[in-house]
Amino acid sequence: MADFDTVLTGRIILTDREIARGYVAIRDGKTALVGEGAAPAGRERHDFANGIILPGAVDAQVHSLSQRGAEGFAASTRAAAAGGVTTIVDMPYDEGNLVCSAEAVGRKVAMIDSDARVDVALYGTIRPEEGPARIAEQAAAGVCAYKFSTFGTDPLRFPRIPPALLRACFAEVVKTGLAAGVHNEDDAYVRAAIAEVEAAGITDWRAHGLSRPELAETLAMLQIYETGAETGCPAHVVHCSVGRGYEIAAMYRGAGHRSTVECCIHYLVLDEENDVARLGGKAKINPPVRPRREVEAIWRHLAEGRVSMVSTDHVSWSEDRKTDPDMLGNASGVPGLEVMVPLFVKGAMARGVPLVWAARLMAENPARHFRLDHRKGGLRAGRDADVTVLVDRPAVYDAASSRHSIAGWSPYHGMELPWTVAATWRRGEMVFDGIEVLAAPGTGIFVRPPETHGLREGLL
């Protein structure tokens, strides 16, 4: 008689060690046992030999609904399943539904219930004119964090939150036990830099990096972390493109503050002098992709423990919004759900970075940060059986012919992936078999922090 529903064998990656010949046993949708050596019996068994068995990724930053009609949860979570991402944390800046109230959270949960193929958690935010009045009701409705910005992209949908209001919001967020995530670019500095670029008549690929200097990013980080220190609120920088930013975050943590910092996969893969020069608008991201020296500096910070988590900042803009010959005329952001995990594994192996960092930065740490670690995160008994398996089946990523990504383009198009996703399980159910996404829309669920949760010390 089989002891478990499913047993997977291969090279198991935990948050503190690897098991060269190990197994993961699944029962009733949960991880039941992780061990080494001879595997127990299971009604279904998959032997991956030297394949890499990782916890399903928790992508801390996804924009599924930024362009109405372009993507949505059915499409974003299909790409996630194919990429080994079993939970996405979706941003609140949706076209037509800014998630800034319990009612807006409810509308978005209804979309998850009908469309999602993997599990989804939600960020909330505010309308500046309302201030922090609706922060508590969003926590009650199930958001797992809040998002603000020191730069204003749009006064209604993606507004700048000025310093005094940011402090007031942090003071309310800390009462919920959740974290405040902030887009880190100094508004006045960026606007002055944009004006200089436009006055100089620079419109090619160089324009974007020149218009958003590195100092604009690190100055904003100081404001964010000082606001967290003042209020006691966990302060999270949602993306950092420069090595200096990780030093700043570590400095605040060393002083005892809850100061975390996220790295997007594009800052570990793309560089300005090669990729932005080649791709133009298809590599336009805020903050910008930086020179190769910053890419390698961030990898060093990652290996030394200064990066809190790795995400995609995924958004599937239609291609026409990324091909303006005037660099600054393009939408900012790129799709990445389908390739984040293989790209991270490739980069880590090339630099000798232990794969335990994959389990920490793309599963355990984000799950803990968003208060989802009662069921999500690393491979551990009692948690949801969310698993992704990579095998040494080299492929060249072809975004144009992908059956899983709706975008049809990618800055990673044409890149070699030495290890590719062979299978993904979500809550014990295979949702990707290496070729097809098997999960139907509506089989993903809304995940939220426990109803009673307070501020606690983190490990990030």
Side-chain angles (χ1 to χ4, degrees):
M1 179 178 177
D3 298 316
F4 301 99
D5 299 327
T6 306
V7 175
L8 314 176
T9 62
R11 179 183 173 189
I12 311 296
I13 310 298
L14 304 177
T15 57
D16 59 348
R17 68 189 190 283
E18 295 187 17
I19 304 175
R21 293 179 59 255
Y23 59 84
V24 176
I26 298 167
R27 183 191 296 126
D28 297 330
K30 301 287 186 182
T31 300
L33 188 65
V34 178
E36 185 172 12
R43 283 189 287 275
E44 185 178 305
R45 181 168 174 142
H46 299 267
D47 182 3
F48 290 102
N50 69 332
I52 300 167
I53 299 178
L54 283 161
V58 178
D59 190 339
Q61 190 169 179
V62 176
H63 299 261
S64 296
L65 300 157
S66 284
Q67 184 180 353
R68 186 179 293 163
E71 189 168 41
F73 282 128
S76 68
T77 57
R78 181 177 64 213
V85 176
T86 50
T87 304
I88 65 170
V89 184
D90 212 70
M91 284 293 182
Y93 303 112
D94 302 343
E95 187 173 26
N97 182 43
L98 185 70
V99 181
C100 59
S101 66
E103 182 182 1
V105 173
R107 286 194 295 268
K108 197 161 183 179
V109 171
M111 288 187 274
I112 294 167
D113 291 342
S114 64
D115 296 341
R117 303 171 195 264
V118 303
D119 296 344
V120 182
L122 296 178
Y123 263 99
T125 191
I126 66 160
R127 290 190 190 279
E129 63 270 23
E130 290 185 332
R134 295 183 180 274
I135 282 175
E137 70 177 61
Q138 293 178 72
V143 302
C144 64
Y146 298 87
K147 172 73 182 295
F148 310 104
S149 181
T150 56
F151 178 81
T153 300
D154 181 276
L156 297 177
R157 185 165 156 261
F158 199 107
R160 172 180 178 253
I161 307 301
L165 179 53
L166 189 68
R167 188 210 179 280
C169 289
F170 273 42
E172 287 301 306
V173 171
V174 73
K175 298 174 185 177
T176 70
L178 302 175
V182 190
H183 178 111
N184 52 310
E185 292 180 294
D186 183 86
D187 192 89
Y189 198 157
V190 171
R191 294 193 185 284
I194 290 172
E196 288 182 9
V197 168
E198 291 177 339
I202 301 171
T203 61
D204 64 13
W205 62 271
R206 298 170 298 157
H208 189 51
L210 292 171
S211 72
R212 302 178 104 93
E214 294 176 12
L215 185 57
E217 190 174 338
T218 52
L219 287 176
M221 293 178 74
L222 291 169
Q223 178 197 335
I224 293 160
Y225 290 143
E226 281 297 307
T227 307
E230 163 74 14
T231 59
C233 182
H236 180 62
V237 168
V238 298
H239 34 44
C240 180
S241 70
V242 293
R244 174 62 181 152
Y246 298 92
E247 296 170 7
I248 292 170
M251 178 180 71
Y252 277 88
R253 285 197 301 277
H257 303 297
R258 299 177 179 90
S259 304
T260 51
V261 59
E262 188 170 327
C263 180
C264 301
I265 191 66
H266 39 262
Y267 301 132
L268 294 170
V269 176
L270 306 176
D271 67 54
E272 184 179 44
E273 59 267 39
N274 295 297
D275 300 298
V276 181
R278 174 174 56 89
L279 296 166
K282 289 184 178 180
K284 181 172 182 274
I285 300 159
N286 296 334
V289 168
R290 304 294 184 186
R292 175 55 53 175
R293 66 175 183 275
E294 295 297 337
V295 177
E296 298 307 326
I298 295 171
W299 272 108
R300 289 193 295 274
H301 285 301
L302 187 154
E304 293 168 4
R306 297 188 188 96
V307 177
S308 303
M309 63 192 79
V310 171
S311 67
T312 61
D313 200 3
H314 169 98
V315 58
S316 285
W317 297 117
S318 55
E319 195 166 6
D320 62 295
R321 297 189 64 173
K322 298 292 286 180
T323 52
D324 192 322
D326 182 348
M327 185 66 170
L328 298 188
N330 292 286
S332 296
V334 300
L337 278 163
E338 194 176 5
V339 289
M340 173 179 69
V341 176
L343 284 170
F344 185 93
V345 168
K346 174 185 178 180
M349 286 185 163
R351 293 166 178 83
V353 174
L355 289 183
V356 294
W357 285 111
R360 293 173 188 170
L361 299 178
M362 295 187 292
E364 183 73 30
N365 285 4
R368 182 173 180 80
H369 176 80
F370 294 110
R371 307 303 190 242
L372 305 175
D373 55 326
H374 60 299
R375 61 183 306 178
K376 302 296 181 182
L379 299 171
R380 186 180 299 180
R383 288 181 174 171
D384 289 349
D386 296 338
V387 186
T388 185
V389 181
L390 278 71
V391 295
D392 55 350
R393 181 182 62 198
V396 174
Y397 182 55
D398 186 346
S401 63
S402 170
R403 294 192 299 277
H404 314 303
S405 173
I406 201 170
W409 66 273
S410 168
Y412 312 113
H413 176 80
M415 290 191 178
E416 290 187 16
L417 301 174
W419 291 76
T420 52
V421 178
T424 306
W425 279 263
R426 179 219 61 212
R427 287 178 278 114
E429 177 184 0
M430 182 184 279
V431 293
F432 179 60
D433 65 3
I435 300 173
E436 301 292 342
V437 171
L438 308 177
T443 57
I445 62 172
F446 174 51
V447 289
R448 55 176 293 167
E451 300 252 349
T452 55
H453 55 85
L455 190 64
R456 42 177 199 175
E457 296 295 332
L459 298 177
L460 307 182

